[in-house]
Amino acid sequence: MATLKKLGILLSGRGSNFEAIADSVKAGRIPAEIAIVISNRADALGLESARKRGLNAKLIISKGRVREEHDAEVVSALKDAKVDLICLAGYMRLLSPEFVRAFPNKILNIHPSLLPAFPGLDAQKQALDYGVKVSGCTVHFVDEHLDHGCIILQKTVPVLDSDDEHALSARILEQEHIAYSEAVRMVVSGEIEIRDRRVVRLNVKGPA
Ligand code: GAR
């Protein structure tokens, strides 16, 4: 049997996307194991959740540190854990080019909008303020530009007249949890390939 791919998760806060991935791993929906969970903030609920799950959880505080130095420490921890794929799960830090280059096409991110619309912070508020009628989430590979890498999958949700930021964020988050696990599964199973900017499904059995 092939050895399981190793995931590294980076988070900064609540960690609900991490938990969704961890649940999918546990249930066998993602053929991988979580080798390490790293938070850059001591108060991240996701870090506590990783510890409770008995995972290798590490705090590497970023506050007050030069980005390159902090990133070098995170890269070194990920390499020590021999990760095959890194999932940014609410990791609210820009990665340095050195970090991205250390793991080419091996870093995924989830963003709460239909990229390329509304990159950056407060994507759900940006969508509401703009007045779009449909929003959603995007799972993409990370490149050296913010919220810019090749898109693996997107899920849409309606924007309702009654929505405030909280209601829209909750509707999107529900889809994020489904989308992230599905994207990680596709990547670790070798079901996709990058052609120019397009991520295409290879011929695999089962529903598209
Ligand atoms: C999620 O909505 C995620 O898409 C967003 O932060 C939230 C983290 O929630 N990420 C970004 O905005 C990145 N640009 P979580 O900690 O519960 O997974």
Side-chain angles (χ1 to χ4, degrees), residues 37-52:
V37 178
I38 300 174
S39 170
N40 65 315
R41 291 180 58 123
D43 59 357
L45 291 176
L47 186 65
E48 190 50 33
S49 166
R51 288 192 181 123
K52 282 199 183 124

Side-chain angles (χ1 to χ4, degrees), residues 21-60:
I21 292 169
D23 288 346
S24 292
V25 165
K26 202 167 175 198
R29 290 189 295 270
I30 299 175
E33 60 183 313
I34 296 177
I36 189 166
V37 178
I38 300 174
S39 170
N40 65 315
R41 291 180 58 123
D43 59 357
L45 291 176
L47 186 65
E48 190 50 33
S49 166
R51 288 192 181 123
K52 282 199 183 124
R53 286 165 186 259
L55 295 169
N56 175 19
K58 204 171 160 68
L59 172 64
I60 304 179

